[in-house]
Amino acid sequence: MSSSVTGPDATPATAPALPLSPRVPRSRVIMASLVGTTIEFYDFYVYATAAVAVFPALFFTGQDDTAKLLASMATFAAAFIARPIGSVIFGHFGDRIGRKATLIGALLTMGIATFLIGLLPTYYSIGIWAPLLLTILRFCQGLGLGGEWSGAALLATEYAEEGKRARAAMWPQLGAPFGFILANGFFLVLTLVMGFVSVAEQGADHPFLTWGWRIPFLASVVMVVLGLWVRFKLEETPVFQKAVEQGQKVQSPLAAVFRTSWLQIIQGTFIMLATYVLFYLMTAWILSYGIGKPENGGLGIPYRDFLVLQLLAVLLFAAMVPVSGWLADRFGRRSSQLVITTAILLFGLGFGLVMDPASVGTGADVSMGRVLVFLTIGMTLMGLTFGSMSAILPELFPTNVRYTGSGISYNVASILGAAITPYIAVYLNANHGVGAVGLYLAFGAVLTLVALWLSPETRDVDMENVVTRR
C-alpha cells in the first residue's frame, strides 16, 4: 500500500498540472466551493449568535444568567459532536460516488435543519421539548457541516493548477468570514430596525425575541436554493474521475483511511487545533464576554455596539485568507503555519493584559478602541491560519480516501478545539478571569506547534496518488 504522505521524512512527488475541463469554467468551481461554505457558515453563525443573545432567554429557565448561557453553549457544542459523524457519512459517499452529489446532500442537511430551527416553539410553549428539539436540529447542522467543508476543499484543490493549490484552496475558506458577515450583519440590521438592545433592558416579550430572531434562520432557505443551483451545474473533479477510470475506488473509505493514513489523521487534527480554538474564542465566546454583565465577569457592551466591532474586525479575517494562501504557496505550508501559530500563542498570553475588565473598563467606561484592536488582531491571525488549511489537510491524504480523511481530521479537531471552547472559556472567565482564557488558547497553540514540527511539508505532493486497495 502507498500514501501520498507517510510521515515526517517522506519525500513528496511533484504534482502535475491538472487542467480544467473546457466544460467547467474556473469561475464555476470557485463559485461552487465558495457559495456552499458561505451558506454553511452563515447557518452555523446564525446559531452561534442566537445561542448567546436569544436562546438563553427563550429555551432555558432559571435565574442564574451564567447557568443559562452555559446550557445554551452546551447545545452549541452538540454540532461539533456531530461533525466527525457527518465527515464519516459524507466522506464515505464522497470517496465512493463522488464529490458533487455528496456536497449537494451536505448542503440540504444543513439548510433544512437551519430552517426548522426558525420554526421551533420555545420553552414557554412546549416545555422541555423545546431545548431537546433545538439540540437535535443543532446536531443535524453539525452533520451537514461535517460533510461540507472537506468536499468544498476538495473541489478547490483537485481542480487547482500546479504551484497555486493553496491560493485556489482559499476560496472555500472565505465562506467563513463571508458567512459571519452575513449572519451577524443580518442580526445587526434586525436589532436596529426593531429597536432591540438586550434581554436585561427590554425583557423577553420584545418583538425581536418573540418572532424577529427567527427571520435569519428562515431566510437561509433562499441561500440554499442558490447553492443547489450552482452545484447542480458542476461536474466531478478531474482527480476523482481519473481514480474512477483506473478502478481505484475503495470499498470502505473509513476502514482504508484508518488502515493506511492513521498518522495523517492525527497530524491533521492537531494542525487544525489552534485554528479552531482561536476561531470560536473570537466569534462565539467573545460575544458572550463583550455583552455579558460586569457582575458576571463581562464587559457590559451593548449588543449592537459589539456586533459592529465584530463586523469591522472580521473584514481583516476575510482580507488575510488570500494572504494565507499566497504565503503557503510561496514559503510552504509548514513554515508559514509555524510562524503564524507562534503569533497565536503570544496573542493568547496577552489576553489578561489587554482585555481584563480592570484595564479595559466596563459598561459606559469600556475602551471600545482597545476592544476593537484586540478583535482585529485575533481576526487577522484567524485569517492567516485558516486560509491555507483547505490545502494542508487534503494534501495529507491519497485521492481515494481524501474526502474521508481530511473530513475526519477537520472535524475531530472541531471537538477538541471548538465544541468545548466557548463552554470552557465561559467557565474560566467566570472563575479565573480573562487571562485564563488566553492561557487556554496558548496551550492549544503549543499542541499545534508540536504537530506542525512533526509533520511533513505537503506543498508538492501528487494529488493523484491513491492507496492500494485490499
Side-chain angles (χ1 to χ4, degrees):
M1 60 186 172
S2 63
S3 175
S4 58
V5 181
T6 57
D9 300 321
T11 302
T14 301
L18 295 170
L20 289 175
S21 164
R23 295 174 295 170
V24 185
R26 188 173 304 281
S27 59
R28 187 177 299 174
V29 176
I30 292 172
M31 185 64 66
S33 60
L34 175 59
V35 168
T37 53
T38 298
I39 294 168
E40 299 280 8
F41 278 107
Y42 166 86
D43 289 352
F44 220 64
Y45 289 140
V46 161
Y47 190 101
T49 302
V52 173
V54 176
F55 295 156
L58 300 181
F59 287 86
F60 304 96
T61 61
Q63 300 300 317
D64 189 331
D65 290 339
T66 299
K68 290 195 291 184
L69 178 60
L70 286 171
S72 184
M73 288 298 187
T75 68
F76 177 78
F80 294 97
I81 305 301
R83 282 170 65 163
I85 300 173
S87 68
V88 169
I89 295 171
F90 289 105
H92 174 85
F93 291 108
D95 286 327
R96 288 289 300 151
I97 66 175
R99 307 344 186 182
K100 174 183 173 179
T102 305
L103 278 169
I104 290 171
L107 184 60
L108 282 172
T109 301
M110 185 75 162
I112 292 171
T114 303
F115 181 79
L116 291 178
I117 289 173
L119 299 177
L120 274 183
T122 68
Y123 182 91
Y124 303 100
S125 298
I126 60 173
I128 194 65
W129 285 102
L132 178 61
L133 291 172
L134 182 66
T135 303
I136 291 172
L137 291 175
R138 178 61 176 168
F139 188 87
C140 291
Q141 278 191 316
L143 289 177
L145 190 57
E148 166 65 30
W149 179 86
S150 51
L154 265 55
L155 278 184
T157 56
E158 292 186 347
Y159 270 117
E161 296 178 9
E162 181 181 359
K164 298 181 179 179
R165 205 153 54 217
R167 277 167 282 186
M170 69 91 183
W171 288 107
Q173 302 303 78
L174 279 173
F178 287 177
F180 184 92
I181 292 169
L182 285 172
N184 287 278
F186 205 152
F187 269 106
L188 177 61
V189 170
L190 279 175
T191 56
L192 286 170
V193 170
M194 302 184 73
F196 177 76
V197 178
S198 69
V199 178
E201 290 189 27
Q202 295 165 293
D205 58 349
H206 190 279
F208 176 76
L209 289 176
T210 55
W211 59 270
W213 67 270
R214 301 178 183 276
I215 297 174
F217 289 91
L218 299 176
S220 67
V221 70
V222 177
M223 299 174 66
V224 170
V225 170
L226 172 63
L228 289 174
W229 176 76
V230 171
R231 286 186 171 175
F232 272 119
K233 295 174 70 67
L234 196 66
E235 294 185 19
E236 194 53 76
T237 71
V239 171
F240 183 80
Q241 286 177 340
K242 185 171 182 178
V244 172
E245 292 167 1
Q246 294 178 346
Q248 295 292 348
K249 290 193 298 183
V250 292
Q251 292 299 315
S252 176
L254 180 62
V257 77
F258 276 105
R259 185 178 65 244
T260 64
S261 305
W262 59 268
L263 178 59
Q264 287 75 28
I265 290 175
I266 295 172
Q267 290 170 338
T269 296
F270 284 95
I271 286 172
M272 189 71 199
L273 181 67
T275 303
Y276 261 127
V277 175
L278 177 63
F279 202 170
Y280 284 91
L281 287 180
M282 289 293 102
T283 53
W285 170 76
I286 196 64
L287 177 60
S288 69
Y289 178 66
I291 70 174
K293 297 177 182 178
E295 57 266 32
N296 292 332
L299 299 182
I301 301 173
Y303 175 57
R304 285 203 304 260
D305 293 347
F306 196 82
L307 274 184
V308 171
L309 295 180
Q310 278 196 302
L311 287 170
L312 289 174
V314 83
L315 296 176
L316 272 296
F317 179 6
M320 290 301 109
V321 167
V323 174
S324 177
W326 180 84
L327 289 172
D329 279 337
R330 175 68 178 82
F331 300 104
R333 284 60 160 143
R334 183 173 176 269
S335 299
S336 59
Q337 284 295 329
L338 281 169
V339 174
I340 295 163
T341 306
T342 300
I344 292 172
L345 188 156
L346 297 175
F347 177 63
L349 295 177
F351 269 42
L353 295 174
V354 179
M355 289 294 283
D356 187 88
S359 58
V360 76
T362 59
D365 298 323
V366 72
S367 173
M368 300 293 277
R370 191 166 176 169
V371 174
L372 179 59
V373 169
F374 175 82
L375 290 172
T376 299
I377 294 172
M379 287 296 189
T380 296
L381 291 172
M382 186 60 228
L384 289 173
T385 184
F386 188 64
S388 59
M389 286 296 170
S390 54
I392 296 171
L393 298 190
E395 287 170 353
L396 288 171
F397 299 93
T399 299
N400 47 1
V401 294
R402 184 171 294 136
Y403 202 126
T404 303
S406 61
I408 290 174
S409 292
Y410 183 83
N411 291 297
V412 171
S414 78
I415 292 181
L416 300 178
I420 56 176
T421 286
Y423 189 97
I424 289 177
V426 168
Y427 173 83
L428 288 174
N429 181 60
N431 291 277
H432 305 287
V434 68
V437 179
L439 292 177
Y440 179 67
L441 172 60
F443 177 69
V446 168
L447 293 178
T448 291
L449 285 171
V450 172
L452 286 166
W453 189 261
L454 297 175
S455 297
E457 175 56 60
T458 60
R459 177 172 53 182
D460 298 316
V461 298
D462 181 0
M463 292 296 280
E464 293 189 7
N465 194 52
V466 296
V467 293
T468 304
R469 294 179 299 163
R470 284 186 179 179

